[in-house]
Amino acid sequence: MAKCPKCGHHLRLIDVSQNCPKCGVNIRFYNFEETFYREAKYAELSRAGISAKIRRLKASFLGSKLTKARLAVMLLPLLSLLVPSGKFILSLIFKQAEISLGAIGLFTLVSGGGLNFVLGMKDAAVSGAAFSALIAALAAYILTAVFAVAVLLTSLLGFISIKNMQKIACTFSALGIAGAVAAMILTARVAAMPANPVLSGKMGYGLLLTIVMFGVTFAVNLLLCLKGIPVEYDEGMLERIEIFKKVKRGEVNLDDLPQPVVQTEETRKIDAEIAAEEAAFHEKYAKKEGEG
């Protein structure tokens, strides 16, 4: 139930007047000036934090030539996985199946149920070693794809931390290179195995392209780590953010702060315009009084 802001009297449903039935104060306009200034100060401080986030968001994408380059290359490792990196042939009793080591080939393998067959063949007496090597190659390739997705996400979410996200992207790019190298070595191992009645393989060049693309994303993000991402803040914006943090922690009382909280060139200009208008008004009023 609502209460009178002055005397604390509990208002009933039939108390529809603007004035408190007990103390008579106008409830709607009680402490209007104090509330107005408090909300104005809160809006000034909170708006600074929102504006800073927007500036960081813009800077992470378009802040420099390097951030624009990062946008251009962040998809390259993932796209390179569409290029086949090898081919494996399964010679079965009634038919011959082909597995392409690439994003599309892996999707076909999983959706067609072929992955279960490959996993089941790792314990076979004749071809178990070959299929175990194939499974390891597929696992390394999938891990490489995971790192490619991670590079894409960290590039898109770079605004979360201007200082740290490119470091994380560098790490994922380096891990992607390691994963691609491991997948290439394991694929070559399968292809180089002695003649096998069930499984044979052939190397491709897709993983070499993937390594190069990861190297490009690593280089771009490393340059961003070294040079940093410039973010332009308005005068007083960072100071307002720090004050707002103290207000939320209870270290500073909002009512004790001046209005505006932080003086800038813009606020000084507004104050000067208000002072000039007040001076003109008083001068005009004094002139009328003199004439009267």
Side-chain angles (χ1 to χ4, degrees):
M1 185 176 291
K3 296 190 299 182
C4 172
K6 183 179 180 181
C7 67
H9 175 70
H10 288 276
L11 303 176
R12 301 166 296 176
L13 292 176
I14 60 174
D15 294 328
V16 295
S17 173
Q18 292 187 21
N19 299 94
C20 174
K22 184 176 181 181
C23 65
V25 72
N26 190 310
I27 298 173
R28 178 176 296 180
F29 294 103
Y30 180 75
N31 278 346
F32 174 80
E33 186 174 354
E34 290 82 354
T35 303
F36 172 80
Y37 280 115
R38 185 182 300 111
E39 292 179 352
K41 287 183 280 189
Y42 188 89
E44 176 188 345
L45 296 176
S46 61
R47 187 173 62 248
I50 296 172
S51 299
K53 290 178 182 178
I54 294 174
R55 295 294 177 89
R56 287 193 292 270
L57 175 63
K58 183 178 179 181
S60 68
F61 289 111
L62 304 172
S64 65
K65 291 181 179 179
L66 282 174
T67 56
K68 295 175 184 177
R70 181 173 62 181
L71 286 179
V73 304
M74 63 182 181
L75 262 174
L76 294 182
L78 203 56
L79 292 176
S80 69
L81 295 175
L82 296 174
V83 181
S85 302
K87 182 171 65 174
F88 303 99
I89 300 172
L90 300 177
S91 301
L92 306 177
I93 298 175
F94 298 106
K95 67 175 183 177
Q96 193 176 72
E98 185 176 294
I99 302 173
S100 175
L101 186 59
I104 298 175
L106 285 177
F107 176 78
T108 304
L109 180 68
V110 174
S111 60
L115 183 61
N116 293 329
F117 173 79
V118 172
L119 293 174
M121 287 294 291
K122 64 181 175 54
D123 296 323
V126 177
S127 305
F131 276 96
S132 295
L134 174 59
I135 292 169
L138 293 176
Y141 193 89
I142 292 171
L143 193 60
T144 302
V146 171
F147 291 136
V149 173
V151 169
L152 174 62
L153 292 178
T154 50
S155 299
L156 289 174
L157 301 176
F159 61 90
I160 294 178
S161 175
I162 292 293
K163 295 181 179 179
N164 296 322
M165 291 304 283
Q166 49 267 22
K167 296 178 183 178
I168 299 174
C170 276
T171 302
F172 283 134
S173 296
L175 291 173
I177 293 173
V181 170
M184 189 166 60
I185 293 172
L186 291 168
T187 303
R189 179 183 173 188
V190 177
M193 280 187 171
N196 191 293
V198 180
L199 177 65
S200 60
K202 182 180 179 181
M203 278 292 296
Y205 300 99
L207 283 170
L208 286 174
L209 178 62
T210 301
I211 292 171
V212 172
M213 294 301 100
F214 271 120
V216 171
T217 58
F218 179 85
V220 171
N221 283 284
L222 179 61
L223 288 173
L224 282 172
C225 289
L226 297 175
K227 295 188 175 182
I229 299 176
V231 184
E232 295 182 3
Y233 296 106
D234 290 339
E235 182 188 2
M237 185 179 291
L238 296 179
E239 186 178 352
R240 290 187 178 105
I241 292 172
E242 290 302 317
I243 294 173
F244 193 44
K245 290 179 181 178
K246 293 179 181 179
V247 169
K248 290 192 290 186
R249 291 196 298 262
E251 298 175 6
V252 175
N253 191 339
L254 195 63
D255 294 328
D256 297 334
L257 297 173
Q259 209 291 316
V261 178
V262 177
Q263 282 284 356
T264 63
E265 185 63 32
E266 183 181 3
T267 60
R268 285 189 288 269
K269 184 179 179 181
I270 294 173
D271 290 342
E273 291 175 355
I274 294 173
E277 290 179 2
E278 289 180 349
F281 173 79
H282 288 302
E283 183 180 351
K284 185 177 180 181
Y285 181 78
K287 185 177 181 181
K288 286 185 177 180
E289 287 288 323
E291 292 174 356

